[in-house]
Amino acid sequence: MFRPILATLIAIFALAEPALAEDYPTRPVTVVVPFAAGGPSDAMMRILGEGMKRSLGQSIVVEDITGAGGSIGVGRVVHSAPDGYTIGFGHLGTHVANGAIYKLNYDLVTDLEPIVLLPSNPMVIVSRNAVPAKTLKDLIAWLKSRPQPATAGTAGAGSGSHIAGLAFEKAAGVSVQFVPYRGTAPALNDLVAGQIDIIVDQLSNSINQVRAGNIRAYAVTDSRRSDQAQDIPTTDEAGLPNFHMTLWSGLWAPKGTPKPIIDKLNKAANEALADPQVKKQLENLGLRMPPASQSTPEALGDWQKAEIAKWWPIIKAANVKVE
Ligand code: ASP
């Protein structure tokens, strides 16, 4: 007697998924950014969201859920319904480094579905204006000469600015005192105000304050100068050869999000990146578009796994303590 009912129910559920995916999205899509408003992740997502809206026909709502190097916001995405209405922005810090630093209650690879690789940018070593150094060599000498370590702002343990700061310590043979914030937006405010000494920051975050003369830039962690900041030398030119780091970003959905929805989001993000207006705004911040060969969800998944294999041993060897 229950058989026909069960069969009907199974048929309804079987039909439900494609129907859902076909109509998707019928309401705004929330993108969790795991760092403070006004910072580089938030800024990139808001620009991109405008472009994605044109393609999806629905608004993108950016929700900044901050704390613990972005791992709280990523956890929120992992535990959201896999229906395409809550997805998450992340980067090398949140989706690679955090797995080597925190005891996460989720797996960065198996609990998430990759959607798309997003633009990347080099880091830039910046200081408050009152630091008495004009070149990177001066800065390193100043950092070494201090009786108390200088302070370096970060977006929390495992964030891009923290990993880059650790790599800088190692490359330059210096030791700094890291000061964690909920994002590099508040860290940058404090740098401009002279409350902290340096940040190894994403170029897209610092670039406008450098242009305005409110902070000093010493080098970009790349083998070539940024087209948007031609006067900042590379680390190779400034005396720290081979200290290169690029912070890439991406979008992920909760595990189990239907493939047609992932594909729609991937298409919307790629269309947004190709939109001249979006491209211009992102490039003006010193961001670089991902290569066309890496535009699929699978490419982001493979890239994330390769980056985990590369970075975890380095980060674990640094023995980072989380307060
Ligand atoms: N991307 C972070 C932010 O938006 C900064 C970081 O990872 O260093 O604040």
Side-chain angles (χ1 to χ4, degrees):
M1 159 179 186
F2 290 111
R3 284 261 168 93
I5 299 174
L6 196 65
T8 314
L9 282 177
I10 290 170
I12 289 171
F13 281 123
L15 282 175
E17 188 184 292
L20 252 178
E22 208 170 281
D23 297 345
Y24 173 86
T26 56
R27 56 189 167 88
V29 174
T30 296
V31 182
V32 174
V33 166
F35 294 104
S41 303
D42 178 82
M44 191 197 305
M45 196 55 234
R46 281 178 200 275
I47 296 170
L48 199 73
E50 280 305 305
M52 288 178 73
K53 176 182 167 186
R54 283 193 275 282
S55 153
L56 291 172
Q58 289 289 341
S59 308
I60 298 288
V61 179
V62 174
E63 198 180 332
D64 301 297
I65 299 177
T66 67
S71 61
I72 294 174
V74 177
R76 183 71 71 87
V77 175
V78 166
H79 299 112
S80 294
D83 57 7
Y85 290 100
T86 305
I87 60 171
F89 177 98
H91 62 24
L92 170 63
T94 55
H95 286 68
V96 173
N98 280 354
I101 294 178
Y102 294 91
K103 282 198 175 67
L104 301 174
N105 64 2
Y106 51 82
D107 187 291
L108 284 169
V109 173
T110 55
D111 287 333
L112 290 162
E113 307 277 358
I115 299 172
V116 71
L117 185 64
L118 295 177
S120 60
N121 64 168
M123 309 300 285
V124 61
I125 303 163
V126 287
S127 79
R128 65 187 164 90
N129 271 344
V131 166
K134 296 284 178 268
T135 64
L136 184 60
K137 283 189 175 153
D138 293 349
L139 178 71
I140 293 170
W142 181 76
L143 291 169
K144 284 183 176 165
S145 72
R146 291 181 46 98
Q148 295 293 325
T151 47
T154 74
S159 61
S161 41
H162 183 227
I163 315 164
L166 290 169
F168 175 59
E169 281 191 314
K170 200 156 177 238
V174 297
S175 176
V176 296
Q177 188 199 327
F178 290 108
V179 183
Y181 292 80
R182 286 179 173 263
T184 43
L188 185 61
N189 285 344
D190 269 8
L191 190 74
V192 171
Q195 305 289 339
I196 52 171
D197 296 316
I198 66 165
I199 309 179
V200 187
D201 197 9
Q202 280 164 260
L203 181 61
S204 62
N205 193 43
S206 278
I207 194 166
N208 286 327
Q209 294 293 1
V210 172
R211 282 174 182 151
N214 294 333
I215 54 173
R216 186 174 307 123
Y218 298 89
V220 286
T221 62
D222 203 358
S223 53
R224 63 183 164 108
R225 291 189 181 205
S226 164
D227 292 340
Q228 280 69 31
Q230 276 292 337
D231 48 341
I232 307 177
T234 66
T235 35
D236 299 323
E237 293 169 326
L240 267 192
N242 302 321
F243 172 37
H244 298 161
M245 183 174 156
T246 302
L247 197 77
W248 52 268
S249 304
L251 290 178
W252 284 262
K255 184 82 197 164
T257 303
K259 179 78 173 128
I261 291 182
I262 298 284
D263 290 343
K264 271 195 187 171
L265 289 164
N266 173 280
K267 186 164 170 273
N270 281 316
E271 281 176 6
L273 291 174
D275 178 326
Q277 216 179 315
V278 171
K279 204 163 168 255
K280 194 171 153 213
Q281 277 178 284
L282 294 174
E283 283 177 346
N284 190 37
L285 290 172
L287 288 159
R288 288 193 191 132
M289 296 297 137
S293 59
Q294 277 185 290
S295 63
T296 63
E298 294 72 27
L300 171 59
D302 291 346
W303 177 244
Q304 184 191 5
K305 282 182 216 150
E307 287 283 274
I308 285 175
K310 174 183 162 186
W311 283 97
W312 279 17
I314 300 173
I315 296 167
K316 286 184 177 164
N319 202 14
V320 178
K321 295 270 177 292
V322 182
E323 324 67 50

